[in-house]
Amino acid sequence: MLHTLNSPQQAAVRHLDGPLLVLAGAGSGKTRVITQKIAYMVEHAGYEARHIAAITFTNKAAREMQERVHGIMDPARSKGLIVSTFHSLGLQIIRTEHAALGYKPRFSILDAADAMKIVSDIIGTTDKDEIRATVGTISRLKNDFMSPEVALMNAQSDGELRIARAYAAYQSTLFAYQAVDFDDLIRLPVELFDREVDILTKWQLRLRYLLIDEYQDTNVCQYRLVKQLTHLHGKFTAVGDDDQSIYAWRGANVENLALLKQDFPRLEVIKLEQNYRSTSRILKAANAVIGNNPKLFEKQLWSELGIGDPISVVEMKDEEHEAEMVAMRLLAHKFENRTKFSDYAVLYRGNHQARIIEGQLRNHKIPYQMSGGQSFFDKAEIKDVLGYLRLIANEKDDPAFIRAVTTPKRGVGNVTLEKLGGLAADRKISLFEAVQMPSLEAMVQSAQYEALQIFCAFIQRLQGRATHEPAGALLREMLAAIDYETWLYESDEPRPAEARWKNVQELAAWFDKRAEENGDNLIDMAQKIALITLLEGRNDEAPDAVRMSTLHASKGLEYPHVFLIGCEEGILPHQQSIDSGMVEEERRLMYVGITRAQRGLTISYCGKRKRAGEWQITEPSRFLLELPAEEIRISGRLASYKNVAVTKEEGKAKLANLLAGLGAKPGV
């Protein structure tokens, strides 16, 4: 099937005798290259599928890749192929090597909410911002592969020392619980491979070729894992684009692209510059903007899809007018071109910008779907209730035990849980089973011991009734018994507490409905919810609706027509990024936004915007200055430029003068 690929794509597929970096510009067919390469390796190059691992960053990308591989290969020959996220691969390694890491086979994986609770206890505060900041810093230290010991040694201030101590206590607590967090799924294998050469060699021989997608998004820890696994043979294909590196805020290190050249001197670089998504005008705009960033590797996207419509840059009076413009232009364009609602996307820098747009879309009866929003089952209050249900369904579920026993608080604190976790680890039993051990009574204070016994007896009583009593009624009885509503109002402000309690009531009502329709009991519901959560977002058919998305969540997606809103100084680029010298990353975000569009692109900014209840005059984004004047159609404050026939140089000069109020030079 290589004849369907262009020359650079074919070269990337065929290159197998050493390390390869494929610089894949937006829309250049990188997933196709990876999947075709897997098929080529198995069917023509003598590789067994079980020795190949394709690593992505999201479950969605992994699923899409798996489906594509199965579409072009004999399923029998693809048996054993690993297509997974970095974290899934890390989990597989930890599961296999748990004993060498000091973990029992049934270790637990804690989510962000579990981590927040542990850190809250350690630093002795309920201030959410402080807890979130501490959790974020610990996560960054792990992603940078810095141990608690090194963090303590490197601490330069009281603040850094406090964080390092919290990190050390957090890790001790996790180990006592026989639990890992999301970042540990990469950190622990890297630590293990550093320490145990025999285990590393075993995995190097097992995974003889790695294909890494979105390589520019790797952090320090992930890069070390790649280096460890490939160092024996140097056989890997890293596919990435330095122009789309937009995740520095969560630890991604674009320098990993440059490090490849250092660490693997034989590295071959192949550029994919033909874009199969967008018209020439859109690509010229994208190239012009990103050209103002310093480049690791030079590349220019091009396309054979025609020149396309001019890009519209419009100024609106304020955000209400901006939202109305989006709705009206969208409806008019849809009517004229007989398109579908799903052909349109509205992209923005921050979630706060979506609310007003949503209101206008609703007013005009335009269906829309939010991307990257929080799932109902990810809400803290729903996860609290599900913690109880998971424990009722399976008392060996340690994270569920920890969540349930501490929500609401019963006087069972961190020290007691550490001792309980230690006992469970020694005996290789669950936390629930450890409560029943006679030796526990001597290890903890009598009040805590009694609280644990009462809690476990309560769960066991519910277990006895869960299989034959109505699920909704039993759930409400359980919520009343733990006095969850009161606890919500005590631990939050009245309005959010009310919203959270409504969500819990909605869950109970859903249980009633499912019980009535299918006869589901509480155990059935616990298992089905786990499946729903795992499969969420797997609709085979996307609804015919406008997609609303942040720029970050839009990466990897494409739409025929895009509205890119709020292109103002302080929003895009974000003020925080301006203050911290991160404008280059914001420019990459602008580039990502432009390259989502296939045929039509409308960019808008406001003359004034409300901030903290006050109207403020806004300035157009400096990135508008960088757009090629001959490819755009301007209205609003820049109306004098509109429809004036000028040369390219005159156009650029005129546009620069019109936007001079920015006080910023291109590239700054």
Side-chain angles (χ1 to χ4, degrees), residues 101-302:
L101 286 161
Y103 281 84
K104 62 182 183 182
R106 286 190 60 262
F107 61 89
S108 306
I109 303 167
L110 302 188
D111 62 17
D114 297 322
M116 296 257 299
K117 279 194 169 182
I118 293 168
V119 168
S120 171
D121 285 340
I122 288 168
I123 64 177
T125 182
T126 54
D127 182 326
K128 284 183 181 170
D129 289 339
E130 191 180 341
I131 297 164
R132 203 172 283 116
T134 306
V135 169
T137 306
I138 290 171
S139 176
R140 277 192 294 280
L141 290 168
K142 288 187 178 191
N143 288 334
D144 288 342
F145 198 63
M146 191 179 290
S147 68
E149 296 75 26
V150 173
L152 282 163
M153 278 195 307
N154 290 357
Q156 301 285 311
S157 65
D158 288 346
E160 287 181 8
L161 191 59
R162 269 198 310 278
I163 292 281
R165 283 176 178 154
Y167 178 18
Y170 174 71
Q171 277 312 108
S172 298
T173 305
L174 255 59
F175 191 70
Y177 284 179
Q178 285 288 287
V180 299
D181 65 14
F182 198 58
D183 300 312
D184 286 333
L185 295 174
I186 311 294
R187 187 185 65 85
L188 287 173
V190 172
E191 262 185 23
L192 178 67
F193 289 160
D194 271 353
R195 200 172 63 235
E196 303 281 350
V197 178
D198 291 350
I199 293 175
L200 172 58
T201 305
K202 179 176 88 176
W203 282 90
Q204 286 173 333
L205 291 170
R206 185 170 170 185
L207 305 176
R208 297 183 190 179
Y209 202 98
L210 293 190
L211 299 109
I212 306 112
D213 192 14
E214 303 287 10
Y215 180 76
Q216 76 282 349
D217 293 339
T218 54
N219 59 39
V220 170
C221 214
Q222 287 160 337
Y223 179 55
R224 282 186 74 136
L225 184 63
V226 170
K227 245 171 76 175
Q228 287 170 328
L229 289 170
T230 60
H231 210 63
L232 198 62
H233 309 291
K235 294 200 170 179
F236 65 83
T237 296
V239 182
D241 181 7
D242 50 330
D243 291 335
Q244 294 187 75
S245 179
I246 56 173
Y247 292 114
W249 52 276
R250 70 178 190 202
N253 185 5
V254 72
E255 292 305 311
N256 286 346
L257 282 163
L259 280 174
L260 274 180
K261 199 83 175 160
Q262 260 174 253
D263 293 334
F264 297 92
R266 288 177 56 233
L267 183 76
E268 183 86 13
V269 179
I270 294 174
K271 298 177 188 178
L272 304 184
E273 296 171 293
Q274 183 174 358
N275 174 287
Y276 293 93
R277 174 188 299 158
S278 308
T279 61
S280 294
R281 260 198 176 114
I282 288 166
L283 296 181
K284 280 182 186 171
N287 287 332
V289 170
I290 204 65
N292 290 282
N293 268 2
K295 309 286 269 182
L296 278 173
F297 303 94
E298 282 298 331
K299 67 175 184 309
Q300 285 279 313
L301 293 181
W302 59 276

Side-chain angles (χ1 to χ4, degrees), residues 37-77:
K37 185 157 190 167
I38 291 167
Y40 179 79
M41 289 171 71
V42 174
E43 292 174 354
H44 300 284
Y47 274 85
E48 290 182 52
R50 64 194 176 93
H51 291 317
I52 302 170
I55 304 170
T56 70
F57 273 83
T58 66
N59 290 323
K60 183 173 178 272
R63 205 159 50 233
E64 183 189 335
M65 204 175 284
Q66 192 114 39
E67 284 163 4
R68 286 214 205 176
V69 169
H70 287 156
I72 60 172
M73 274 182 76
D74 175 359
R77 299 201 69 180

Side-chain angles (χ1 to χ4, degrees), residues 3 6 34 105 110 125 208 260-261 295 386 404 415 425-426 460 498 506 521 524 527 603 629 654-655:
H3 67 278
N6 63 37
I34 294 171
L110 302 188
T125 182
R208 297 183 190 179
L260 274 180
K261 199 83 175 160
K295 309 286 269 182
L386 296 184
V415 176
D426 287 345
Q460 284 171 326
E498 184 184 357
E506 190 182 322
N521 61 42
D524 297 330
Q527 290 165 345
I603 301 173
K654 191 155 191 170
L655 183 58

Side-chain angles (χ1 to χ4, degrees), residues 315 605-608 617-620 634-640 658:
E315 178 186 9
Y605 65 97
C606 296
K608 61 179 181 177
I617 302 299
T618 59
E619 293 180 321
I634 300 176
S635 62
R637 208 183 309 179
L638 313 175
S640 60
L658 287 165

